[in-house]
Amino acid sequence: MYRTMMNGKIHRARVTEANLNYVGSITIDEDIIDAVGILPNEKVAIVNNNNGARLETYVIAGERGSGVICLNGAAARLVQPDDIVIIISYVMVAEDRLSDHQPKVAIMNESNQIIELISHEPAGTIL
């Protein structure tokens, strides 16, 4: 049996741009996706903390060090610049490998810089 587990998470990133006239996807600073192990073209779930919208799309690597978090195409209708989002990737893990699985969670600041990288989420609030 396999379980679907969180693999990488970008917690409380700030949307820098919403581009309706793009083909689709989310553009994320390549330094950020590298830190949490998300790959270009990988499927991600996105949760908008401002309005509760949830969507799925794929990742495009953005310019390193830019802090870019840009929702493209139809997804741009569900976010506004400055909205706070959570971006999550998942992986299928065999039951016998669950104890070895270590997700990577990047806690972001208001400038989309990683302030902390953790491998598990404590119960409670992370601001």
Side-chain angles (χ1 to χ4, degrees):
M1 180 186 311
Y2 287 85
R3 303 250 181 179
T4 304
M5 306 297 291
M6 178 184 66
N7 195 52
K9 179 177 174 184
I10 304 166
H11 186 75
R12 296 187 59 83
R14 186 173 301 276
V15 174
T16 59
E17 186 179 349
N19 185 347
L20 182 61
N21 295 312
Y22 192 83
V23 177
S25 70
I26 183 171
T27 304
I28 305 172
D29 178 326
E30 195 166 8
D31 285 341
I32 298 170
I33 61 174
D34 284 352
V36 296
I38 295 175
L39 297 173
N41 300 309
E42 186 170 353
K43 179 180 175 180
V44 292
I46 302 164
V47 180
N48 185 331
N49 282 13
N50 292 73
N51 64 20
R54 299 175 81 87
L55 63 119
E56 293 179 339
T57 191
Y58 63 93
V59 172
I60 291 178
E63 181 181 346
R64 286 188 182 280
S66 66
V68 66
I69 303 288
C70 178
L71 277 293
N72 301 304
R77 295 212 181 265
L78 301 175
V79 301
Q80 297 293 314
D82 292 324
D83 281 358
I84 302 299
V85 295
I86 299 169
I87 303 160
I88 311 157
S89 71
Y90 296 93
V91 65
M92 300 296 291
V93 180
E95 284 257 340
D96 62 348
R97 302 296 310 265
L98 288 172
S99 63
D100 298 330
H101 180 64
Q102 294 265 332
K104 295 178 182 175
V105 178
I107 310 300
M108 309 302 289
N109 70 11
E110 61 281 347
S111 300
N112 287 340
Q113 298 168 322
I114 297 170
I115 57 173
E116 187 175 7
L117 195 59
I118 58 178
S119 63
H120 70 283
E121 292 183 310
T125 303
I126 299 175
L127 296 177

